[in-house]
Amino acid sequence: DIVMTQSPDSLAVSLGERATINCKSSQSLLYSSNNHNYLHWYQQKPGQPPKLLISWASTRESGVPDRFSGSGSGTDFTLTISSLQAEDVAVYYCQQSYNTPPWTFGQGTKVEIK
Amino acid sequence: QVHLVESGGGVVQPGGSLRLSCAASGFTFKNYGMYWVRQAPGKGLEWVAFIRYDVNNDYYGDSVKGRFTISRDNSRNTLYLQMNSLRAEDTAVYYCARGKLEKQLWVPFDSWGQGTLVTVSS
């Protein structure tokens, strides 16, 4: 099974500052035939279900603010919130869909306001 | 728009059974793979089960294999999860979720229900 490891487990960022979350997979998520990374990011606010933010490492879902961006390839990925807003307080998860089943998630990163 | 509504959660004793349902609307249900994902209190997300759009294959996480069964009724636009031999560690909010692309397997989950809480306790 592919193991997904996020860092840090939590971070506190001032409003308007950048937040960076890292995700590392135990094997490459890059599918060579289509050059897509099968890595996705979710946001989960308290008391709510997860919401898909970014798919295939860097494609923002419809309606997701452009302050959210995803990057990386292979085994190392990053979710960046360029200017943290109060409504971005949440837990963020990465997930792989490359070698499935199983579909595996990172342990989550909690983002708070400093 | 896409709407997923889970039901069937509740309190059950260890060793008991429960069947969850997920009513889908707003999309062509029979064209999408469907998933169950759970979240234990204060913990992260764990994929539980998947069923293909055409019901030809289903897959399970190791922690539930042999105890849980996923199924679907495409005529009723409903997904199910039959849970048997329940254990305390199965206590969680159970979400149903849809695969992002029609008839595709290796996709993210683009729509989620609000979840239903299952508590296994004596």
Side-chain angles (χ1 to χ4, degrees):
Chain A
D1 297 356
I2 297 178
V3 177
M4 307 299 293
T5 304
Q6 293 181 226
S7 61
D9 289 334
S10 64
L11 76 162
V13 176
S14 300
L15 288 172
E17 296 300 305
R18 178 185 301 261
T20 301
I21 300 168
N22 300 301
C23 176
K24 189 174 185 67
S25 58
S26 60
Q27 64 186 76
S28 177
L29 304 182
L30 178 62
Y31 191 39
S32 56
S33 66
N34 60 15
N35 206 37
H36 285 171
N37 286 282
Y38 284 61
L39 183 283
H40 320 293
W41 290 98
Y42 298 83
Q43 175 194 63
Q44 187 178 30
K45 297 182 179 180
Q48 295 185 19
K51 171 188 173 183
L52 179 64
L53 278 183
I54 289 173
S55 53
W56 287 284
S58 60
T59 302
R60 261 191 314 272
E61 292 297 291
S62 174
V64 173
D66 61 6
R67 64 180 179 271
F68 291 92
S69 63
S71 62
S73 184
T75 61
D76 293 280
F77 301 91
T78 299
L79 174 69
T80 301
I81 309 173
S82 61
S83 175
L84 190 75
Q85 304 300 304
E87 60 265 33
D88 301 334
V89 168
V91 179
Y92 294 83
Y93 296 92
C94 61
Q95 178 216 22
Q96 67 84 18
S97 64
Y98 177 85
N99 186 14
T100 55
W103 289 260
T104 48
F105 294 88
Q107 79 276 19
T109 295
K110 186 175 185 179
V111 174
E112 299 173 306
I113 305 294
K114 185 187 289 183
Chain B
Q1 73 275 23
V2 176
H3 203 44
L4 299 170
V5 179
E6 302 93 340
S7 60
V11 180
V12 60
Q13 291 189 339
S17 298
L18 213 54
R19 188 174 88 151
L20 307 183
S21 300
C22 171
S25 60
F27 66 103
T28 306
F29 181 73
K30 65 184 176 71
N31 286 350
Y32 287 83
M34 296 295 296
Y35 304 78
W36 288 100
V37 177
R38 69 183 180 184
Q39 187 169 37
K43 302 296 185 184
L45 302 170
E46 178 189 14
W47 166 74
V48 172
F50 163 73
I51 188 166
R52 275 174 52 120
Y53 67 97
D54 55 5
V55 201
N56 279 349
N57 288 99
D58 52 353
Y59 302 97
Y60 300 89
D62 287 344
S63 61
V64 307
K65 204 172 295 183
R67 301 186 298 123
F68 289 12
T69 302
I70 189 172
S71 61
R72 64 191 295 163
D73 184 340
N74 286 343
S75 67
R76 295 177 181 267
N77 292 345
T78 303
L79 177 72
Y80 302 100
L81 185 68
Q82 177 67 43
M83 305 186 295
N84 298 330
S85 302
L86 282 161
R87 307 166 180 165
E89 54 265 35
D90 295 318
T91 294
V93 173
Y94 285 74
Y95 297 101
C96 66
R98 187 189 80 162
K100 181 175 169 65
L101 300 175
E102 290 188 353
K103 304 180 183 179
Q104 298 293 311
L105 188 64
W106 299 284
V107 296
F109 309 162
D110 72 336
S111 298
W112 298 64
Q114 287 297 311
T116 187
L117 177 62
V118 172
T119 302
V120 184
S121 173
S122 54

